[in-house]
Amino acid sequence: QVQLVESGGGLVQPGGSLRLSCAASGSIFSISTMGWYRQAPGKQRDLVAQILSGGSTNYADSVKGRFTVSRDNAKNTVYLQMNSLKPEDTAVYYCNLREPMGLFAYWGQGAQVTVSS
């Protein structure tokens, strides 16, 4: 039922910026927790940033101060603004929606972010 469509990935130089977007279908977006995860080849998928339905946010220590997660409930869209990008930020970034009861999660298709000169 819920579909998540990501956009905004690409190749950027170290120190550059990129903004990822994730648009959700369905009627539960505004009451759902949204998250951004990333996964490098051969590594675990880890939480990068999270925004709850009430607007509070959480960040991995590795991105704190550089990344900002936000949401626009009128557009059913969550964003990840990434500044001061480093090569170690290179990964596939996945949007995640956790339904309000916490029993199901939905994933976007993934967006490749490559930070390289």
Side-chain angles (χ1 to χ4, degrees), residues 84-107:
S84 302
L85 283 162
K86 305 174 180 179
E88 49 263 48
D89 295 318
T90 295
V92 178
Y93 285 71
Y94 295 93
C95 175
N96 170 271
L97 181 152
R98 201 174 82 209
E99 61 91 27
M101 295 299 294
L103 299 178
F104 298 97
Y106 301 87
W107 294 93

Side-chain angles (χ1 to χ4, degrees), residues 22-77:
C22 175
S25 66
S27 61
I28 64 172
F29 176 86
S30 64
I31 57 174
S32 299
T33 294
M34 301 298 300
W36 289 97
Y37 294 72
R38 68 185 181 188
Q39 186 170 28
K43 296 192 174 182
Q44 180 179 325
R45 184 178 298 186
D46 292 326
L47 179 68
V48 175
Q50 182 183 65
I51 184 164
L52 307 187
S53 61
S56 62
T57 57
N58 300 294
Y59 297 93
D61 287 342
S62 59
V63 307
K64 195 170 298 182
R66 300 187 297 121
F67 290 12
T68 302
V69 62
S70 61
R71 66 193 298 160
D72 185 341
N73 288 340
K75 296 182 178 180
N76 272 22
T77 300

